[in-house]
Amino acid sequence: MMKRAAATVIAAVLSIGGAMWALGDTPKMRLPGPAELSVPGTARTLALACPPGPTATIGETIGLSEEESEITERTRGLVIGGGTVTTPDNLDLTGSPRFFSAYGAHPGPLIAEPGESAAIIAATYQRTQESGELAGLILSPCLPPAATHYFVGGSTATGSSSELVLTNLSATPATVRITVHTSTGTAPRVASSALTVAPGGTEKVLVEALATDDKIALEVSAEGGAVAAHLFTHEMSGASGAGAESIEAGAEPATEVIVPGIDLSGDSGAPSVRIANPGEDSATAQLTVRTDDGSEPVPGAESVRLAPGSVLDIPLDGIGQGWAAIEVSSDVPVLAAGLLAGEDLMQVPSVAPLRHGTATVGTGVGTLVLVAEDATATVRAFARTGEEVDTLTVPVKGIGSVELPAATSYVEVLADRPVSAGLVVTEQLGSRRGGSAVPVIPTPEDAAGLQLKISN
């Protein structure tokens, strides 16, 4: 488990989730434009927490009827640049650049000390299963600690379960408080809403023990030490698994929110948007859908009112085809995410803009969706063994999307101006179409000149 933790690690951690793009106060959505996004570029220790696998929490209670099919789990990662690296479970590093790949879940710290350059790390836990309680495709990245996390998605209603996993990489205890917003408002706090995560420790919290609702959003705040947070969710239909997902934390509450990577075709399931109002004042929000054909208001969502602490799902059926981004404008800060419910669950987080980022596609097929007013992105696709599969130029005038080559395991995005990036990965799992939304993780600015070659 956690074999190494040092107080200096967190002080030097790259805080990926903390950057927010200021989009202004005007009622009309302004997409990321020519202004540059400032990212500190000094070489630093980079610390990530790799997650454990999800827990089957429903089947024994209701009696699972379908047979559990074969489960495939793998933890994989790459390290470009940097110095000494500590991997979870001391997994072997090999190659140039260095990489590791091992069957199973390997929770624990992934730490790269600075070398001649700052390290770039991309690492992910992947789980696939055709049938069973946790059937579906799960891609859950190794993530940096942060003081606050915002999750939009999941359910704790009957037949559903959501599990929050908290990891403390620091040398001091972290006091964590969890706030659950529901369809009827912020849930009352219970004893398990607050807990302490020991230095180098991991704690799991079943969200259904905090509140029961089919529409939830979470705020996770830590004091005394930052924590990494992963949220797993899954559902059952009767006594059969109906999909599983790793929900990633999204952007902080804002009056302008962008959710890139919504599939309107129906191939990935029925699309919808979840909005949460974490504040104490009522919110009035307007939804706009952006596709290759331009932008237009979402019918029936021109003026959506949310009570304080409440969560609302808005269906997107019949508003277009292809890949889209949803833009949420509100008079007070809100949270948002995209939901795709089909043979699997996919929950697409809101994002802050970036100019340079990487993501893990794993063994599926990825579609990258980029949003900006006017930008050009260079997208480099790499195979699992590090060979460059292709380099693509993606013009982004409002929105741009590209399906990555089938052999792609990792992707690098380099944009001339800030873009909001979403990646959706699908994989055929026998008779089931699996899917997972994957974050594109920003890299340190001083790593922008490195040539990304990835092995797996």
Side-chain angles (χ1 to χ4, degrees), residues 101 106 118 148 158-159 179 191 199 231 259:
S101 182
H106 294 273
T148 308
T158 302
T179 302
L231 181 62
V259 183

Side-chain angles (χ1 to χ4, degrees), residues 117-154:
S117 61
I120 298 175
I121 297 180
T124 299
Y125 161 79
Q126 177 175 332
R127 185 188 192 278
T128 59
Q129 186 179 20
E130 179 183 0
S131 61
E133 180 177 337
L134 294 167
L137 168 65
I138 291 175
L139 285 167
S140 186
C142 304
L143 295 173
T148 308
H149 306 266
Y150 297 94
F151 296 95
V152 180

